[in-house]
């Protein structure tokens, strides 16, 4: 069972110097430290983040006290992002409800949000998200595998992909801006066109308004070591193929990356799905301008 401890945060909203070009986020927020989803490829295990053992979950118990004060101090309204270092809807959230309570505070102050998740628990908060959506609310589901068995094998404790598509459809039917990020793509595991194509088609059926991704995985130091250990357990012999192909590279692109990207863009264009998100525009809260 994951170890859970309480900690005190000095600050809860982190300012993004330049608005994120992919997600449109101006402020980052992590209510927890560590993540229970146990995805075998998670970059949060890298030494630069100082967490290493991400299964040790810390709850920032004063986060909901800090948040109203910090929001009031912001001169410029901008999108608050959830999900940069962990999933705000991991299993502990069902009990703690810190994400829900944070959304209530954000709604009171009329700030926009963007949530990145692999959980269908987000649908619990549709009532609040609909209110925030009067300004701007976006929910992006990370989906790397069309097949539930494969998703369960590499994203151990996350909701299987079919549940994420169901949640997406629910959000879409409630008028909430939602879509998919298809990354990471693991060379020799899920980097085939059948997988990518099926994700796009299922996303379209579920009401996704945008899909974007990167046909690669990142690897460095302790995160690489963990990933390779998991490959030995789940795909014997594949580690040596990675070592031979990528060495100590940080960005490890699929050998099929160029072909996959071309087909990805062609199919999205055919289905009239954006391959970039529309961001919150502070001067026009009811409109969203496509980031080019």
């Amino acid at each position: 069972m994951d170890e859970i401890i309480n900690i005190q945060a000095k600050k809860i909203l982190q300012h993004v110097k330049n608005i994120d070009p992919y997600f449109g986020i101006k402020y980052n927020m992590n209510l927890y430290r560590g993540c229970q989803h146990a995805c075998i490829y998670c970059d949060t295990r890298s030494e630069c983040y100082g967490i290493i053992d991400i299964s040790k979950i810390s709850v920032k118990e004063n986060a909901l006290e800090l948040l109203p004060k910090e929001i009031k101090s912001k001169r410029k309204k901008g999108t608050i992002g959830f999900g940069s270092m962990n999933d705000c809807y991991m299993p502990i959230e069902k009990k703690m409800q810190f994400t829900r309570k944070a959304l209530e505070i954000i709604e009171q102050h009329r700030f926009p949000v963007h949530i990145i998740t692999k959980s269908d628990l987000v649908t619990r908060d549709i009532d609040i998200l609909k209110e925030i959506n009067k300004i701007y609310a976006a929910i992006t589901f990370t989906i790397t595998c069309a097949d539930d068995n494969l998703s369960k094998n590499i994203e151990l404790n996350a909701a299987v992909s079919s549940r994420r598509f169901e949640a997406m459809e629910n959000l879409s039917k409630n008028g909430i801006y939602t879509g998919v990020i298809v990354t990471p793509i693991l060379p020799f595991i899920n980097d085939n066109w059948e997988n990518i194509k099926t994700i796009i088609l299922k996303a379209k059926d579920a009401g996704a308004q945008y899909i974007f991704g990167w046909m690669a995985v990142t690897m460095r130091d302790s995160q690489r070591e963990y990933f390779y250990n998991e490959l030995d357990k789940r795909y014997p012999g594949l580690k040596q193929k990675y070592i031979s192909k990528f060495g100590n590279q940080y960005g490890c692109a699929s050998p099929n990356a160029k072909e996959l990207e071309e087909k990805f863009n062609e199919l999205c264009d055919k289905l009239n799905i954006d391959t970039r998100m529309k961001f919150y525009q502070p001067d026009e809260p009811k409109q969203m301008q496509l980031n080019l």
Side-chain angles (χ1 to χ4, degrees):
M1 182 179 292
D2 295 321
E3 180 183 343
I4 298 172
I5 60 173
N6 291 323
I7 60 173
Q8 293 289 311
K10 293 181 180 179
K11 188 176 182 180
I12 197 63
L13 284 181
Q14 304 298 326
H15 183 264
V16 178
K17 188 175 182 180
N18 297 308
I19 293 178
D20 184 281
Y22 296 100
F23 302 109
I25 292 169
K26 187 173 181 64
Y27 306 105
N28 263 323
M29 180 168 65
N30 289 289
L31 300 164
Y32 305 103
R33 185 176 171 88
C35 189
Q36 295 172 305
H37 281 168
C39 303
I40 68 172
Y41 51 72
C42 184
D43 186 55
T44 304
R45 294 186 183 89
S46 297
E47 292 173 9
C48 61
Y49 300 116
I51 300 176
I52 310 301
D53 186 357
I54 63 174
S55 68
K56 292 182 178 179
I57 308 302
S58 300
V59 178
K60 298 179 182 179
E61 59 180 353
N62 63 331
L64 300 175
E65 297 173 18
L66 294 174
L67 183 56
K69 300 172 187 176
E70 292 186 24
I71 286 182
K72 288 178 182 177
S73 73
K74 302 305 178 188
R75 292 183 178 181
K76 292 185 178 180
K77 189 171 289 187
T79 301
I80 297 174
F82 293 69
S84 63
M85 295 295 293
N86 55 43
D87 196 315
C88 64
Y89 283 108
M90 59 184 162
I92 192 175
E93 167 62 18
K94 192 169 186 179
K95 175 184 177 182
M96 299 299 298
Q97 297 197 31
F98 267 39
T99 299
R100 181 173 177 85
K101 291 170 185 174
L103 287 172
E104 289 174 342
I105 294 168
I106 290 167
E107 190 276 322
Q108 290 168 10
H109 291 84
R110 297 180 62 78
F111 264 63
V113 301
H114 181 188
I115 296 170
I116 305 167
T117 186
K118 293 175 184 163
S119 176
D120 55 348
L121 182 58
V122 62
T123 58
R124 177 200 65 187
D125 298 334
I126 281 179
D127 57 333
I128 306 171
L129 291 168
K130 286 172 73 173
E131 291 301 310
I132 296 174
N133 198 43
K134 292 175 182 177
I135 301 295
Y136 174 92
I139 312 297
T140 299
F141 289 90
T142 301
I143 301 180
T144 63
C145 308
D147 177 74
D148 282 355
N149 290 327
L150 183 55
S151 73
K152 195 67 178 174
N153 201 38
I154 64 175
E155 299 159 348
L156 279 63
N157 299 327
V160 292
S161 297
S162 61
R163 284 168 53 191
R164 296 177 222 175
F165 283 120
E166 288 170 6
M168 190 186 313
E169 184 173 12
N170 195 348
L171 289 162
S172 180
K173 286 180 177 177
N174 277 275
I176 296 170
Y177 187 54
T178 184
V180 176
I181 180 168
V182 186
T183 198
I185 292 300
L186 309 180
F188 319 117
I189 296 177
N190 62 344
D191 63 332
N192 61 82
W193 176 237
E194 188 60 32
N195 176 54
I196 305 298
K197 179 181 73 172
T198 306
I199 291 172
I200 295 170
L201 294 174
K202 287 186 175 183
K204 175 67 175 179
D205 288 344
Q209 292 176 262
Y210 58 90
I211 305 176
F212 58 103
W214 186 44
M215 304 302 161
V217 63
T218 58
M219 290 195 293
R220 54 186 164 190
D221 48 72
S222 53
Q223 179 256 340
R224 178 187 287 111
E225 181 181 354
Y226 184 93
F227 179 64
Y228 281 170
N229 286 337
E230 291 297 314
L231 288 186
D232 281 341
K233 294 177 191 175
R234 301 166 193 283
Y235 303 97
L238 190 53
K239 178 177 78 173
Q240 293 305 318
K241 200 170 182 179
Y242 267 77
I243 292 171
S244 175
K245 177 70 177 175
F246 303 114
N248 291 324
Q249 286 180 216
Y250 172 62
C252 304
S254 164
N256 307 319
K258 185 176 180 180
E259 179 186 0
L260 290 174
E261 287 168 1
E262 289 174 354
K263 289 183 174 180
F264 181 97
N265 290 324
E266 286 174 5
L267 183 55
C268 287
D269 184 60
K270 181 179 178 180
L271 297 175
N272 197 29
I273 303 175
D274 290 337
T275 53
R276 290 283 188 180
M277 290 187 65
K278 296 174 182 176
F279 298 164
Y280 164 73
Q281 298 297 311
D283 296 327
E284 299 178 273
K286 282 292 183 180
Q287 298 180 25
M288 294 174 286
Q289 180 177 323
L290 182 62
N291 173 46
L292 299 175

